[in-house]
Amino acid sequence: MKPWSWVLVGGMFETAWAICMKLSNGFSEIFWTVATLAFLFTSVYLLNCGLKRGIPVGGGYAVWVGIGGIGSLVVGIILFGESLLFTRLMFAAIIITGIIGVELSSHPETDQCDQDE
C-alpha cells in the first residue's frame, strides 16, 4: 500500500469514529462506544503507518484530520439532517483549500547549491 493510502483510509476511519461517538449518546450505549474506540485506534494506527512510510507529519496530519472533518460534515448532513447552509459549505471549502496548501508547501524546494553541482 502506498504511504498516502494509509493516511486516506485512516481519515475515513476518523469520520467513522466521530459518527459512532455521536451514536453512542455520550458513551452511554456500549455497542457504539466500543465501535468508537475501535475506529479511533484504527484511525490513529493507519495515520502512524503513513507517517512511518515517509509522509511529512504536518501534511499527513492535516489531510487525515481534514478527511475526518469534511467526512463528518457530509455524513452529518446525510444521516442526521444537519444544516446544508452556504456558509458551512464555504468554510468547508476553506478547510480543503488550507489542507491542499499545507500539503503543497510541505515539500521543500531543491537547494540551489545542489543544482549547481
Side-chain angles (χ1 to χ4, degrees):
M1 208 154 119
K2 295 184 181 207
W4 277 109
S5 300
W6 293 98
V7 175
L8 296 174
V9 174
M12 290 183 235
F13 277 88
E14 179 87 351
T15 298
W17 78 255
I19 298 305
C20 287
M21 186 168 56
K22 177 163 177 70
L23 295 171
S24 78
N25 291 322
F27 300 116
S28 63
E29 296 192 27
I30 192 69
F31 174 81
W32 293 112
T33 298
V34 170
T36 298
L37 295 173
F39 285 130
L40 171 68
F41 286 111
T42 303
S43 176
V44 173
Y45 172 78
L46 293 169
L47 170 64
N48 182 55
C49 288
L51 297 178
K52 284 186 350 186
R53 287 164 177 79
I55 301 293
V57 69
Y61 184 74
V63 169
W64 178 72
V65 169
I67 292 170
I70 299 299
S72 298
L73 181 108
V74 170
V75 173
I77 290 168
I78 293 168
L79 291 183
F80 305 120
E82 295 176 0
S83 65
L84 183 59
L85 298 173
F86 173 76
T87 51
R88 282 187 94 198
L89 298 178
M90 180 186 70
F91 287 119
I94 291 170
I95 291 170
I96 293 168
T97 302
I99 292 166
I100 292 169
V102 166
E103 179 50 31
L104 291 176
S105 65
S106 66
H107 300 290
E109 295 180 26
T110 305
D111 191 290
Q112 279 292 55
C113 295
D114 291 340
Q115 292 179 356
D116 295 336
E117 294 178 22

